[in-house]
Amino acid sequence: MPKSFQQKMKILYLMRVFAEKTDEAHPMSVKDLIAYLENFGIHAERKTIYDDIETLRVFGMDIMNRRERPSGFYLASREFEVAELKLLVDAVQSSRFLTTGKSRQLIQKLESLTSIYQAKDLQRQVIVQNRVKNTNENIYYNIDEIHRAISQNRQISFQYTEWTVSKERQLKKGGARYQISPWQMIWQDENYYLIGIDEKSGIVKHYRVDKMLKIVMEKDSRNGEELFERFDSARFAAGTFGMFGGREENISLEFENHLVGVMIDRFGQDIMVMAKDNEYSVTRVQVNVSTQFYGWLAALGSSVRLLSPENVRKEYRDFLKKALENYEG
């Protein structure tokens, strides 16, 4: 192997060893670095190692020289701090829409962004028991395909699935394909959803990405540009409980003042809160009325009262009565 080629490889191997095998607690001496290079058949002298380290510093690598024991050179800073990686690893591990296999793959890639020693801390962090994970391995690629269609202004078609009581997935509508103009992706209730125009009905609908199969990007351009120019996805997500569809209604809620945080968490900081007295306040919000909404309301008990409209009040009373029937007698 020509000497000039060895020298080019030498600095690349040094970049890798600093990134993978050094941190503040695990520096490498010049002697260690020379021995490491020998493993690849590259001979180096002390002076050239110092010159290469200086070159890497000029290039932008934050290589420090630790004087106290253990002494040696190490990479002091990286693109991601360990605390940031721990945050990302926990997000990946706890995300229900990612399968266990895909979570492991992503975590391994995150581990490669720090030293092998700090990566062990990340591995210890991810031992989390009984977290529900998705079983659809294709979701990762579904998301990519949807974003590709959005960027190219194209419609998509897909099959949609649902669970049976025997815990098996089955195709909805007998396997008929849904054709949608995709516009936005939102993260809600630990799931990814696609929001778009259903080409058959012409109305805005949402679909869980992990329930979609065999996505195909169609030749037709998307419809609904004018609608989505003014579409508020944050309001849509806040008012759609459990992402269950329903008719839109403007409702008034009276609630005990200690629940103001619950209202803001649910509907956002922009809601108007009007004080009724020292104990109660009132807000007016837009929601998609559904059994999920009524369930959320029931969970808050007597601390919240639905004031209007009257047709929604009646539906809520009927919902509560029907639930109580299961406990009569």
Side-chain angles (χ1 to χ4, degrees):
M1 184 182 295
K3 187 175 180 180
S4 60
F5 183 78
Q6 280 193 330
Q7 292 305 304
K8 292 176 182 177
M9 292 298 294
K10 174 161 64 77
I11 200 161
L12 293 176
Y13 279 119
L14 287 174
M15 287 180 68
R16 187 167 76 178
V17 74
F18 277 120
E20 292 182 355
K21 297 189 176 181
T22 71
D23 53 46
E24 188 173 5
H26 303 88
M28 292 183 73
S29 66
V30 172
K31 183 179 178 181
D32 294 332
L33 294 170
I34 291 173
Y36 170 80
L37 292 170
E38 289 287 351
N39 292 328
F40 302 98
I42 299 174
H43 177 70
E45 297 179 356
R46 295 183 66 86
K47 183 181 183 306
T48 61
I49 294 295
Y50 285 117
D51 290 341
D52 289 335
I53 290 174
E54 186 57 31
T55 299
L56 292 174
R57 283 172 171 162
V58 172
F59 179 70
M61 294 186 73
D62 185 18
I63 298 173
M64 302 290 289
N65 187 3
R66 179 180 172 132
R67 303 291 184 181
E68 64 272 17
R69 291 182 180 275
S71 61
F73 294 91
Y74 67 95
L75 186 60
S77 61
R78 304 166 191 270
E79 195 71 28
F80 290 93
E81 299 295 331
V82 175
E84 294 171 330
L85 289 174
K86 286 182 177 180
L87 182 67
L88 293 173
V89 163
D90 192 57
V92 169
Q93 183 68 11
S94 60
S95 292
R96 293 179 59 180
F97 85 92
L98 290 173
T99 64
T100 300
K102 183 56 67 176
S103 292
R104 288 199 189 104
Q105 290 177 24
L106 290 175
I107 289 169
Q108 286 173 357
K109 291 178 180 180
L110 289 170
E111 289 171 0
S112 71
L113 298 175
T114 189
S115 73
I116 58 174
Y117 310 104
Q118 292 172 335
K120 291 178 181 178
D121 289 336
L122 300 182
Q123 292 166 7
R124 282 195 288 270
Q125 176 177 320
V126 302
I127 302 173
V128 183
Q129 300 296 327
N130 300 321
R131 280 187 174 169
V132 177
K133 301 292 283 182
N134 206 292
T135 57
N136 182 0
E137 190 70 35
N138 291 322
I139 185 172
Y140 196 74
Y141 307 101
N142 286 354
I143 293 169
D144 186 58
E145 189 67 13
I146 292 168
H147 280 302
R148 194 164 69 89
I150 290 173
S151 68
Q152 296 184 28
N153 195 36
R154 304 265 288 278
Q155 295 180 22
I156 62 170
S157 66
F158 54 87
Q159 293 176 309
Y160 205 56
T161 64
E162 62 183 349
W163 287 105
T164 67
V165 292
S166 57
K167 296 188 289 186
E168 295 178 345
R169 286 184 183 273
Q170 70 177 15
L171 295 173
K172 295 191 71 173
K173 297 184 179 179
R177 297 187 69 80
Y178 293 62
Q179 186 145 340
I180 305 296
S181 288
W183 283 96
Q184 294 181 5
M185 297 277 286
I186 64 172
W187 173 256
Q188 176 81 347
D189 296 330
E190 297 194 67
N191 287 299
Y192 252 125
Y193 292 87
L194 164 68
I195 301 177
I197 301 288
D198 175 59
E199 290 299 318
K200 187 174 181 179
S201 64
I203 63 175
V204 176
K205 291 188 177 181
H206 61 275
Y207 303 87
R208 256 179 61 173
V209 177
D210 61 298
K211 292 185 176 182
M212 298 163 66
L213 292 178
K214 299 181 180 178
I215 297 177
V216 174
M217 187 161 62
E218 303 291 344
K219 295 179 180 179
D220 300 323
S221 298
R222 294 182 301 169
N223 294 309
E225 180 176 3
E226 185 177 342
L227 187 155
F228 275 90
E229 282 179 354
R230 60 181 187 277
F231 186 78
D232 189 340
S233 59
R235 192 182 73 171
F236 177 85
T240 307
F241 286 74
M243 293 305 289
F244 277 72
R247 72 180 189 279
E248 287 190 351
E249 293 274 7
N250 288 306
I251 64 165
S252 293
L253 295 173
E254 179 185 282
F255 57 92
E256 293 178 6
N257 288 334
H258 67 88
L259 290 178
V260 64
V262 173
M263 297 298 160
I264 291 173
D265 287 344
R266 178 71 251 186
F267 301 108
Q269 286 184 292
D270 293 335
I271 62 170
M272 184 177 294
V273 176
M274 297 157 285
K276 181 181 179 182
D277 51 40
N278 291 334
E279 296 183 12
Y280 290 90
S281 293
V282 175
T283 187
R284 188 168 180 80
V285 293
Q286 187 176 67
V287 302
N288 285 358
V289 174
S290 66
T291 55
Q292 294 295 112
F293 163 63
Y294 291 143
W296 174 82
L297 201 58
L300 296 174
S302 60
S303 298
V304 176
R305 190 157 67 99
L306 178 60
L307 298 179
S308 66
E310 186 55 40
N311 65 308
V312 180
R313 281 169 53 87
K314 181 180 182 305
E315 286 181 12
Y316 182 46
R317 286 195 298 268
D318 292 342
F319 169 85
L320 294 173
K321 288 176 182 177
K322 192 171 182 179
L324 283 171
E325 288 175 2
N326 291 331
Y327 301 95
E328 290 179 352

